[in-house]
Amino acid sequence: MKEDTSAAPSENSEDIKLGETTSPTKDRLDRKRKRIGVIDDDEDETKTAYEDPIKVMNEHKDTVKRLKEKESPLKEGENKMIDLTTLPVSASQGSSSTKASTSKASTSKQSVGKHSLRKSTGIKYKDRSTLRKLSDPKYNPTTDAPFAAGEPVPFSFLVEGFEEVGACHGENSKEAIKVIMSNIFRSVITLTPEEMVICYYLSTGKLAPDYRGVEIGVGFEILRSCTAKATGRSDKEIRQEFSSQGDLGEVVESCKSTQKSLSGFFIKKGPPTVLTCSEVFEDAMKVANTSGQNSTKLKQSIILRLLKDGTNTEAKYVIRFFQKNLKIGANAATMIGALAKTVVLLNKTNLKFTKSE
């Protein structure tokens, strides 16, 4: 008995037709078009299955182009440097638990290799040459400080104290160091108490207590590369200077003092940029929290900005801070003694500490 095969061709032809409408390539195109908003989820898929793939891809490119133009903060033809403080890395700087995500391509493309000068705070600090030195026994924490009440503490004020501490040698040098550092702490507590913790950590070369385990995570090669870029010298010249001086901080200070750059003739000069202690601490925390893809380049970009924005002496202590060794002859125990001296002197002047509720 012969089998009836008349229905077979129709089934095969139906299968072939179904395969044409549900091929993997067309399914991918439909999913792409749904994702970018070309078609709705409720739209009949059989309507779009027979559309020209080239037409679909052209619509996809036009949609992506419109989205990029809409999201871009820059107008066409506008040349503007990207400020690192606007990147996702700058969020929650004071918390060590927040990790900066550098694996995204947009972040790495925008931030790596670009240096934007820090905007001036607009604050006119006092001239330190007209005020008493920190080692002066008659130092007044209010009138002899370069900043007023409520103003951010300039990093140069802390650096000046480091320089005076480094010059203390011989008998009773530890007591002289405590006097200098206690004068700094008294001025900060009296005028800008919210930055006292930051100034203390910067004085000890740390970002947080030891039990929190916050590490800067910057090696010598990264600092050497930043020094070369900030001073306009080659890596070979920096190596030679380091072998003769033995201190990378002194190398960046001496090289910046003799640096000559053609770009300085073309940059419009504005108000001088003043580094503050909070900015240095926050940038150091960014470096410590940066991890993932392109993290090395992003760390270099942050450190390079600090070196360029700071003065020669400030750049020296920026390098030393990232090396976790200020090299001023004062350890953590000395800083604790200076802090205790500060509390005693403030109590004598009837400045009482209130317990936070």
Side-chain angles (χ1 to χ4, degrees):
M1 185 177 181
K2 293 183 180 180
E3 296 180 357
D4 187 10
T5 58
S6 59
S10 61
E11 291 178 359
N12 293 338
S13 61
E14 205 173 291
D15 291 342
I16 294 172
K17 185 177 180 181
L18 183 62
E20 289 177 355
T21 59
T22 60
S23 63
T25 304
K26 292 177 180 178
D27 287 344
R28 283 198 302 272
L29 292 175
D30 290 342
R31 286 195 298 270
K32 278 187 178 180
R33 297 172 77 249
K34 288 179 181 180
R35 187 168 61 251
I36 64 178
V38 176
I39 62 175
D40 297 327
D41 292 336
D42 299 333
E43 187 177 351
D44 187 9
E45 295 183 0
T46 58
K47 265 175 104 176
T48 61
Y50 293 98
E51 290 184 0
D52 186 7
I54 299 177
K55 180 181 177 182
V56 174
M57 293 305 297
N58 289 336
E59 291 178 356
H60 169 70
K61 291 179 181 178
D62 294 340
T63 305
V64 171
K65 184 178 179 181
R66 288 197 302 271
L67 290 174
K68 286 183 177 179
E69 291 176 352
K70 184 178 179 180
E71 294 176 357
S72 177
L74 303 181
K75 297 180 181 178
E76 186 177 359
E78 184 179 1
N79 185 13
K80 183 178 179 182
M81 302 301 289
I82 297 176
D83 192 356
L84 285 176
T85 58
T86 63
L87 297 180
V89 181
S90 63
S92 302
Q93 296 303 325
S95 174
S96 62
S97 61
T98 304
K99 297 293 181 180
S101 174
T102 58
S103 59
K104 295 182 180 180
S106 60
T107 301
S108 60
K109 287 181 180 179
Q110 289 179 350
S111 58
V112 174
K114 292 191 177 182
H115 168 73
S116 60
L117 291 178
R118 198 182 309 274
K119 293 181 180 180
S120 175
T121 57
I123 300 174
K124 293 183 179 180
Y125 292 101
K126 302 175 187 177
D127 185 6
R128 280 295 298 156
S129 61
T130 61
L131 306 175
R132 290 189 180 94
K133 290 186 177 182
L134 291 166
S135 57
D136 194 329
K138 296 182 179 180
Y139 178 85
N140 188 297
T142 303
T143 58
D144 290 328
F147 57 99
E151 293 180 349
V153 181
F155 187 57
S156 59
F157 180 58
L158 203 59
V159 166
E160 180 190 349
F162 293 160
E163 289 286 283
E164 293 191 28
V165 168
C168 294
H169 301 289
E171 191 176 357
N172 296 327
S173 60
K174 285 188 178 181
E175 188 61 30
I177 292 173
K178 292 179 182 179
V179 170
I180 294 171
M181 295 308 301
S182 66
N183 286 336
I184 293 177
F185 296 155
R186 282 198 300 155
S187 294
V188 176
I189 292 176
T190 304
L191 300 175
T192 314
E194 61 271 15
E195 294 191 9
M196 178 59 212
V197 176
I198 291 176
C199 293
Y200 180 78
Y201 280 136
L202 291 177
S203 302
T204 56
K206 297 180 181 180
L207 292 174
D210 294 335
Y211 66 84
R212 290 179 60 183
V214 180
E215 295 292 337
I216 296 178
V218 177
F220 178 79
E221 292 299 321
I222 295 179
L223 295 176
R224 181 183 55 79
S225 176
C226 292
T227 300
K229 293 177 181 179
T231 58
R233 305 293 182 92
S234 64
D235 290 342
K236 184 178 180 181
E237 291 175 332
I238 296 300
R239 289 194 191 97
Q240 291 175 352
E241 290 288 338
F242 177 73
S243 61
S244 62
Q245 298 187 32
D247 182 7
L248 193 59
E250 292 183 356
V251 171
V252 70
E253 181 183 27
S254 60
C255 291
K256 279 199 70 174
S257 61
T258 58
Q259 181 183 10
K260 295 181 180 179
S261 176
L262 288 175
S263 60
F265 293 99
F266 303 100
I267 297 177
K268 185 178 180 180
K269 293 184 178 181
T273 303
V274 178
L275 274 181
T276 62
C277 291
S278 59
E279 288 172 342
V280 175
F281 184 83
E282 288 173 1
D283 284 350
M285 189 65 76
K286 288 180 189 179
V287 173
N289 290 338
T290 300
S291 60
Q293 188 179 6
N294 294 326
S295 60
T296 300
K297 292 183 179 179
L298 185 56
K299 288 179 181 181
Q300 288 179 345
S301 178
I302 296 172
I303 297 173
L304 182 60
R305 181 174 65 172
L306 285 174
L307 295 179
K308 288 187 175 182
D309 289 346
T311 62
N312 303 340
T313 310
E314 289 172 354
K316 176 175 71 174
Y317 286 100
V318 166
I319 290 291
R320 289 181 175 180
F321 179 79
F322 281 107
Q323 288 181 320
K324 296 186 290 186
N325 187 2
L326 297 176
K327 300 181 181 180
I328 58 177
N331 53 20
T334 306
M335 293 299 174
I336 293 175
L339 189 59
K341 188 180 184 67
T342 302
V343 174
V344 172
L345 293 175
L346 288 177
N347 284 333
K348 287 183 178 180
T349 56
N350 295 325
L351 288 176
K352 304 294 183 181
F353 290 96
T354 58
K355 294 182 179 180
S356 58
E357 296 181 357

